[in-house]
Amino acid sequence: MKIVVPIKRVVDYNVKVRPLGDQSDVDLNNVKMAMNPFCEIAIEEAVRLKEAGTATEVIAVTVGKSDSQEQLRTALALGADRAILVETDSLLEPLSIAKALAKVIQAESPQLVILGKQAIDGDNNQTGQMLAALLNYGQATFASEISIDGDSASVTREIDGGLQTIKVSLPAIITTDLRLNEPRYASLPNIMKAKKKELDVQPIDAMGIDTAPRMELLSVELPAARQEGIKVESVEELVGKLKNEAKVIS
Amino acid sequence: MSTLVIAEHDNTNLKPATLNTVAAANVIGGAVHILVAGNACQSVADEAAAVAGVEKVILADDAAYENQLAESTANLIKSISADYSHILAPATTFGKNVLPRLSALLDVQQISEITEVISDDTFKRPIYAGSCIATIKSSDSIKVITVRATAFDPVNAAGGSASVDSISANEVSDLSSFVNEEIAQSDRPELTAASIVISGGRGMQSGDNFHLLETIADKLGAAVGASRAAVDAGFVPNDYQVGQTGKIVAPDLYIAVGISGAIQHLAGMKDSKVIVAINKDEDAPIFQVADYGLVADLFNALPELSEQL
C-alpha cells in the first residue's frame, strides 16, 4: 500500500506572530519556520503503517515555495521514502492547494492519503476535506485511531461530544488529530540519509489548474487587548471579588 | 440574497450553536433558511421552525442522514445550493467536517470560523491561533462560511413560525459508513455552552487530581476543561481540550488552574468575560490575560476555594 502525506511549512508554533506596521499582512520577516505539527503526526502515522508492514511506500508532498524543501527533507528524515514539491511563488489558498495535491494523487494513485487536520498559520481546517471532494474519496477527519482492514479503514474521530468511529473505503483521505500518535524526532543518521533521498520538483504551472485567489486580504490587526487584571492575595479575596466586583458567582 | 444555515442536531434536539449561526446570518442580511438533514428528526425541524427570524426550514429526513456523514451531507447541500448567496454552519467538528467538502464541490474558497460580519462579502477571522485578526473579502459567487459560535449572541429559540418543506435524499454516498459513537455522559453543562468553565493544565499533575476541579465545577454548575498539555499528558480525554486545536469557549467566568497560558490555549478562552488564573509561577503568561490572578499552589488553593463556595 502506497501512502501520500501532504505537509505544510508554517511559522514555528512557539512564535507569536504580529501584524506588519502598515497592517497589510502578518510580519513573517526572520521568523523560525517548521513543519506544521499536525503534519508531523500524519508523517508519523504513515511511517508506523510502513513499519508494521501495512504500507510499502510513504511519499511526502508539499505545495509551496522552494524553501519548503527544508520541511520535505525533515519528512524524509522522519521516514518518508521520497518527496515531491509542487513549486509555486504565490501564497495559495486551501482550494488551490487541494487542486494541486489532487493532481499529484491522481498521478501516484495511493491507497491512503493522510494529512494534518489544520495548519497552525491560517487555521483553516479545509485542505483534507476539499481534497476528498475533488477526488471523490471518502473522508475521515480528526482521527485519533486508524486501522486498515483490507479495502477499507476503520477510523476513530475526535468529535465535540466524544468519539465516533466510521469505516471508509480506500482510497480515502484521513486527517490527523492530536492524540493519534506522538511523533518521533529525526536521528542524525536519518537526517544524513534523507539528503540522498529523491525529491522531485514539479512546477505548478505545468498542472493546468486554476489557482487564482478568491479572497482578498484587506488588513491584519491585533485582537482587542484585555484590560489589565489584578493579583489577589488569597482565595478569600478571590471569592469576594468574584461575588461582589465581577458578580459572576453568587 | 438569502442564506442557508446548516442545522447542528442529534436527530432529537437542535444544538445551541445553530442559534449563534443564525445570528451571523441575520447580520449578513436577507432571508434565512435552515436545513435539517437527519433521520427521524421532525422534532428538530419543529424546533428550527420556531427560531426567531427564520423564514423556511428544509427537512431532509432519511436514514441516509442518520449520522450526517460528510459525503452524503455535502452532496445534499450542494443539490439545493443554487438558491443561496451564503451557506453557513457552526465551526464545530460537524461544520468543519462537512463545509470544506461542500466548498470544493462548489469550487469556492471557504471562509473559516468568522468572528465578525463586516458586509455580505467581507468578514473578520482569527489567524495564527488568534494572535492576529484578518479582514478578508471573498469574490466567490456563493460564500461558504463556518461561524465561531462564541462571537455571535444566539438568536431567540422561540417566536418564529417558519414553514417546513421536505426534500428527498439526493446523491447518497457509500464511501463512508457509521460504526459507533461514544458520547461522554455528564451531568455538567457542555463545555461550549457553559456560563462557567474551570480548566486544568499540566500543573494538575494527574488525571485523578481533576476531581479537585470537578468538586468546584459541581458547586458552580460549571463545565470542566483542560489545556492541550493536560490532554497530551493523558490526564483527560481530548473533548476537554480548550484552545486553537480544541474547543473555543467564551463563558462569563473562566478559571484556569495550573495552566501556563500558551498562545494556543489563550486562543480558545481569551474572549471569556472574566478570567481567573491560579498558578504557582507568578511569571506564567496566563496572568497577562487574567482579571484576577492568584499566585498559589493549586493543591492548597482548590480545597480552600471549594470550601468557600
Side-chain angles (χ1 to χ4, degrees):
Chain A
M1 186 169 85
K2 197 195 245 189
I3 305 179
V4 166
V5 183
I7 64 164
K8 190 175 186 190
R9 172 184 170 90
V10 298
V11 171
D12 185 89
Y13 73 97
N14 285 310
V15 175
K16 184 158 170 60
V17 175
R18 300 182 61 84
L20 284 168
D22 66 358
Q23 299 201 327
S24 61
D25 207 333
V26 288
D27 185 357
L28 297 184
N29 291 308
N30 304 314
V31 300
K32 188 182 172 205
M33 303 298 283
M35 192 194 299
N36 180 48
F38 288 100
C39 302
E40 289 181 346
I41 296 173
I43 290 280
E44 177 68 31
E45 194 66 15
V47 171
R48 285 187 192 186
L49 285 168
K50 190 182 168 191
E51 287 167 349
T54 310
T56 48
E57 190 182 23
V58 176
I59 306 155
V61 185
T62 196
V63 182
K65 293 182 184 170
S66 177
D67 52 15
S68 295
Q69 291 194 31
E70 199 185 322
Q71 281 63 47
L72 287 174
R73 289 289 170 203
T74 305
L76 293 169
L78 291 170
D81 297 293
R82 61 188 170 92
I84 299 168
L85 168 65
V86 179
E87 197 173 356
T88 171
D89 285 331
S90 316
L91 200 65
L92 299 184
E93 292 168 355
L95 181 63
S96 301
I97 293 173
K99 286 178 182 176
L101 292 173
K103 288 282 180 189
V104 172
I105 287 157
Q106 277 159 351
E108 293 287 346
S109 336
Q111 278 71 55
L112 194 59
V113 180
I114 310 179
L115 60 173
K117 75 166 179 177
Q118 89 192 57
I120 59 165
D121 47 6
D123 283 332
N124 281 304
N125 195 332
Q126 296 176 0
T127 306
Q129 297 88 313
M130 287 179 158
L131 185 56
L134 296 174
L135 294 163
N136 194 29
Y137 286 3
Q139 69 185 56
T141 51
F142 326 141
S144 65
E145 206 182 327
I146 300 172
S147 69
I148 306 295
D149 181 20
D151 57 1
S152 70
S154 170
V155 180
T156 302
R157 307 176 56 230
E158 305 269 16
I159 59 169
D160 285 333
L163 296 170
Q164 178 190 64
T165 303
I166 61 170
K167 213 177 190 42
V168 58
S169 337
L170 300 181
I173 304 286
I174 296 177
T175 75
T176 62
D177 215 320
L178 198 61
R179 292 192 300 176
L180 182 60
N181 61 50
E182 207 167 305
R184 70 193 68 188
Y185 293 97
S187 68
L188 191 58
N190 284 341
I191 292 171
M192 300 311 287
K193 263 189 252 167
K195 292 181 180 173
K196 295 201 182 82
K197 289 183 179 174
E198 181 192 334
L199 195 164
D200 180 25
V201 179
Q202 303 177 3
I204 198 163
D205 296 339
M207 291 184 158
I209 52 173
D210 167 22
T211 59
R214 313 293 183 84
M215 297 205 298
E216 187 190 345
L217 183 61
L218 300 182
S219 70
V220 174
E221 60 202 342
L222 287 174
R226 285 188 76 90
Q227 231 180 347
E228 210 175 321
I230 57 160
K231 289 258 169 70
V232 292
E233 296 303 320
S234 66
V235 169
E236 196 179 347
E237 189 188 348
L238 174 65
V239 172
K241 294 278 187 197
L242 293 177
K243 279 186 177 161
N244 306 318
E245 194 175 85
K247 297 188 168 57
V248 284
I249 60 172
S250 50
Chain B
M1 201 170 72
S2 55
T3 298
L4 180 67
V5 170
I6 314 303
E8 171 141 357
H9 65 89
D10 57 6
N11 292 318
T12 309
N13 294 113
L14 193 66
K15 292 283 173 81
T18 312
L19 301 177
N20 307 78
T21 308
V22 171
N26 284 340
V27 185
I28 292 169
V32 178
H33 296 178
I34 296 186
L35 171 68
V36 175
N39 186 28
C41 58
Q42 182 65 44
S43 61
V44 180
D46 293 343
E47 240 185 287
V51 172
V54 174
E55 191 185 276
K56 185 162 94 174
V57 172
I58 300 165
L59 171 62
D61 196 337
D62 193 291
Y65 305 120
E66 165 87 34
N67 302 290
Q68 299 158 59
L69 298 176
E71 297 82 359
S72 295
T73 308
N75 288 350
L76 176 74
I77 303 169
K78 185 187 175 218
S79 72
I80 57 169
S81 63
D83 296 337
Y84 299 99
S85 56
H86 296 75
I87 300 176
L88 273 57
T92 53
T93 50
F94 162 71
K96 288 172 175 177
N97 186 38
V98 174
L99 247 59
R101 187 172 183 106
L102 168 73
S103 175
L105 293 176
L106 295 173
D107 193 34
V108 306
Q109 174 54 51
Q110 175 178 301
I111 307 149
S112 290
E113 213 149 353
I114 61 162
T115 52
E116 199 178 327
V117 176
I118 306 293
S119 71
D120 62 356
D121 65 1
T122 305
F123 308 92
K124 288 195 180 192
R125 59 177 303 269
I127 54 174
Y128 292 92
S131 295
C132 295
I133 307 293
T135 304
I136 52 105
K137 183 177 173 166
S138 163
S139 61
D140 278 313
S141 54
I142 300 181
K143 272 82 174 162
V144 175
I145 298 169
T146 60
V147 175
R148 180 172 290 189
T150 55
F152 296 88
D153 289 331
V155 296
N156 203 329
S161 55
S163 60
V164 179
D165 287 7
S166 287
I167 58 170
S168 325
N170 199 322
E171 287 189 63
V172 172
S173 165
D174 58 2
L175 289 168
S176 71
S177 55
F178 176 83
V179 178
N180 64 51
E181 218 161 62
E182 289 168 47
I183 299 299
Q185 296 299 329
S186 169
D187 295 334
R188 294 187 199 100
E190 205 195 331
L191 201 45
T192 53
S195 57
I196 302 178
V197 173
I198 181 163
S199 289
R202 201 191 298 276
M204 296 304 297
Q205 294 181 8
S206 76
D208 287 345
N209 289 333
F210 266 71
H211 76 84
L212 295 168
L213 301 179
E214 287 160 3
T215 311
I216 294 169
D218 290 340
K219 288 194 169 175
L220 292 172
V224 178
S227 69
R228 174 171 168 170
V231 173
D232 271 349
F235 299 170
V236 286
N238 192 58
D239 52 294
Y240 278 53
Q241 194 199 153
V242 172
Q244 180 187 19
T245 59
K247 293 193 171 89
I248 309 290
V249 302
D252 294 335
L253 173 61
Y254 187 89
I255 307 174
V257 183
I259 292 177
S260 65
I263 300 168
Q264 86 88 28
H265 184 71
L266 301 184
M269 46 63 80
K270 71 181 162 54
D271 292 324
S272 305
K273 289 202 181 72
V274 175
I275 297 175
V276 168
I278 301 174
N279 201 302
K280 64 179 175 190
D281 172 11
E282 60 178 320
D283 296 323
I286 190 75
F287 288 120
Q288 290 164 20
V289 299
D291 298 285
Y292 303 108
L294 175 64
V295 180
D297 185 328
L298 67 92
F299 295 105
N300 297 326
L302 288 179
E304 210 180 313
L305 181 58
S306 175
E307 213 169 278
Q308 294 193 23
L309 290 172

